[in-house]
Amino acid sequence: MNKQISFKEAVTILTLMLAVLGWGVIGFGLSPQIPVLTVIALLIFWLQIRGFEWEEVMKGISQGISTAIVPIFIFLLIGTLIAVWIQAGIIPSLMVLGFHLISSHFFVPSVFMVCSLVGLAIGSGFTTVSTVGIALFGMGSTLGINPALTVGAIISGAVFGDKMSPLSDSTNLASAVAETDLFDHIKNMMWSTIPAFIGSLLFFFFLGQSNKATSLAGIAAVESSLRQHFSVSFWAALPIILMFACAWKKVPAIQTLFVNIFLSVAMIFVQNPGFKMQKLATLIESGYVSNSGNKT
């Protein structure tokens, strides 16, 4: 740009933008779209007052959008992945397996460890929360674990795995901005991240002891409902193995998600030969809607 903005002015404008966003979303309870559009309009108006040419403003908008395109595309694919994973019985199968493997007394620290390992392998905290996290949350609800504690363990583990993964977009971006080697960057983060990991694990271990499991009859009822409405089998492990294999081979996130979605869709049609393409389109567009009648 031809014109320069001082650091003080930039901080002032950023503070005002955040204030407008917070005022709209928190103060008035509006959906984020309206405050965001308001901030964009005010920002463009301010740039015009400062004497910036319209071409410069449009160039800045284009650059900002181009930076966000890939993350937005990944978010869309993750939404599709969640829907087809549920329909194909992958997440229900994880829940059923977890009922037999994880003790309720050690459930919370187990959730933290599992999400940490998955996040570390695939390099995406959002994907971890949206796939394995959903299954673990459903298990926690059935076992009578405090939902807030379960969510805390899921998100904490996913964030740790994402932060320390060489496949993470944010970790790669940070090392690129700092102009340092990726693995040197990860090693330096360990000085603060490893103590935080150990402290969190101990925290979830002791805090999770105060929870009591629900009756075995309640777990059996949920498991029966899952088996009745979904295809629960060891074949559900295929997409998960594929995701870990892609992570091991350092396949980019978009390709990994596409391949996993195609495999999951193929499993849906194998399990339900009469499954209609229209229903698949609705599943991808609107997500999975349960009709099991079981609120848990």
Side-chain angles (χ1 to χ4, degrees):
M1 289 186 178
N2 298 325
K3 298 182 179 295
Q4 295 294 326
I5 299 175
S6 67
F7 177 76
K8 182 178 180 180
E9 186 178 7
V11 171
T12 302
I13 295 300
L14 177 61
T15 303
L16 292 175
M17 290 170 57
L18 294 176
V20 172
L21 289 172
W23 189 33
V25 176
I26 301 175
F28 287 95
L30 301 175
S31 60
Q33 291 88 340
I34 301 302
V36 168
L37 290 175
T38 302
V39 165
I40 293 174
L42 293 175
L43 187 57
I44 292 175
F45 181 69
W46 170 75
L47 289 172
Q48 293 286 280
I49 293 177
R50 288 283 279 103
F52 285 87
E53 298 294 334
W54 180 247
E55 290 75 14
E56 292 179 312
V57 176
M58 290 303 298
K59 182 179 179 181
I61 294 175
S62 299
Q63 291 176 345
I65 293 175
S66 64
T67 303
I69 284 296
V70 173
I72 291 174
F73 195 45
I74 290 176
F75 290 157
L76 292 174
L77 291 177
I78 288 173
T80 300
L81 181 68
I82 296 170
V84 296
W85 267 28
I86 296 176
Q87 181 66 54
I90 297 163
I91 290 179
S93 295
L94 287 174
M95 293 177 65
V96 171
L97 177 64
F99 289 150
H100 294 278
L101 294 181
I102 300 178
S103 168
S104 62
H105 299 291
F106 301 101
F107 178 79
V108 178
S110 299
V111 167
F112 178 67
M113 290 292 295
V114 168
C115 289
S116 297
L117 293 174
V118 174
L120 185 64
I122 65 179
S124 172
F126 190 85
T127 305
T128 303
V129 171
S130 303
T131 51
V132 178
I134 293 177
L136 293 171
F137 181 79
M139 290 168 55
S141 299
T142 304
L143 291 171
I145 307 297
N146 187 328
L149 189 58
T150 305
V151 170
I154 292 171
I155 295 177
S156 298
V159 170
F160 169 82
D162 188 353
K163 183 181 180 69
M164 301 302 294
S165 174
L167 304 179
S168 170
D169 291 340
S170 59
T171 302
N172 279 273
L173 177 62
S175 63
V177 171
E179 298 182 353
T180 184
D181 180 73
L182 172 62
F183 292 97
D184 287 340
H185 172 60
I186 293 176
K187 289 178 182 178
N188 288 326
M189 288 195 297
M190 289 182 179
W191 290 102
S192 59
T193 307
I194 297 300
F197 175 84
I198 296 174
S200 298
L201 182 60
L202 293 174
F203 173 80
F204 287 124
F205 178 82
F206 288 110
L207 199 59
Q209 298 301 305
S210 62
N211 291 280
K212 296 181 179 180
T214 187
S215 64
L216 294 178
I219 298 176
V222 174
E223 181 177 342
S224 175
S225 178
L226 289 172
R227 292 184 179 278
Q228 181 180 356
H229 294 90
F230 298 99
S231 178
V232 176
S233 68
F234 68 91
W235 292 108
L238 286 178
I240 301 174
I241 294 173
L242 176 61
M243 182 171 290
F244 276 99
C246 290
W248 179 262
K249 293 294 184 179
K250 297 184 179 180
V251 178
I254 292 179
Q255 289 92 319
T256 298
L257 290 170
F258 266 125
V259 172
N260 211 297
I261 289 171
F262 289 146
L263 175 59
S264 301
V265 169
M267 291 177 62
I268 291 174
F269 282 104
V270 170
Q271 296 165 1
N272 307 282
F275 200 81
K276 303 295 183 182
M277 288 298 298
Q278 293 84 352
K279 189 174 181 180
L280 176 63
T282 302
L283 177 70
I284 293 174
E285 293 171 4
S286 305
Y288 179 83
V289 178
S290 175
N291 297 311
S292 66
N294 191 313
K295 294 182 179 181
T296 306

